[in-house]
Amino acid sequence: VGDKKNGFGTLQWSNQDMYVGEWKDNRMHGQGSFKYANGNAYVGSFAGDYKQGRGKFHWSNGDRYEGEWAADLMQGAGTIRYANGNVYTGTLHGNVKHGTGSMKWSSGDAYDGEWEG
């Protein structure tokens, strides 16, 4: 309220990063999309300026992640689809495969089991 961003809005930074979505107390909070100047993009939930909850991230190299986020990190259940055709489905902790998951390589090889990052 007052001079704080609240409700729906768009902010474009001087480096060309851009956020379109919900704001609360001057922070990205709620549903929104963030497009980075380098071509990466995120669509999903935010809380206190962090990716938080469910969301989708697309890297400019073609890799994609869809799943849970906590404090800007891939955290919890999710799927990573790599541009080379490899696919990981399972749990992540701090942006790395950790816990139970399966990896299917484009070569046809597959692994189901535990991961430690």
Side-chain angles (χ1 to χ4, degrees):
V1 185
D3 63 350
K4 294 183 180 179
K5 295 181 282 295
N6 272 292
F8 187 86
T10 300
L11 178 62
Q12 184 165 350
W13 286 265
S14 60
N15 69 355
Q16 300 306 307
D17 286 351
M18 184 170 63
Y19 173 76
V20 178
E22 298 173 302
W23 295 86
K24 182 178 179 184
D25 295 329
N26 230 29
R27 294 182 176 200
M28 297 177 288
H29 193 92
Q31 295 298 305
S33 64
F34 197 108
K35 293 182 182 173
Y36 298 82
N38 66 7
N40 294 344
Y42 171 81
V43 176
S45 296
F46 289 84
D49 279 342
Y50 293 109
K51 296 177 216 60
Q52 182 79 27
R54 293 218 35 99
K56 299 176 185 180
F57 195 97
H58 296 257
W59 285 269
S60 60
N61 69 1
D63 293 348
R64 300 181 323 238
Y65 170 75
E66 182 173 354
E68 296 293 322
W69 293 83
D72 257 359
L73 301 173
M74 296 181 290
Q75 183 93 8
T79 299
I80 303 171
R81 297 180 187 282
Y82 297 93
N84 65 8
N86 298 345
V87 178
Y88 172 80
T89 302
T91 55
L92 296 105
H93 183 78
N95 286 340
V96 297
K97 300 174 198 81
H98 188 88
T100 304
S102 64
M103 182 77 171
K104 295 181 182 168
W105 287 270
S106 59
S107 65
D109 294 345
Y111 171 78
D112 289 308
E114 296 297 314
W115 294 81
E116 185 173 327

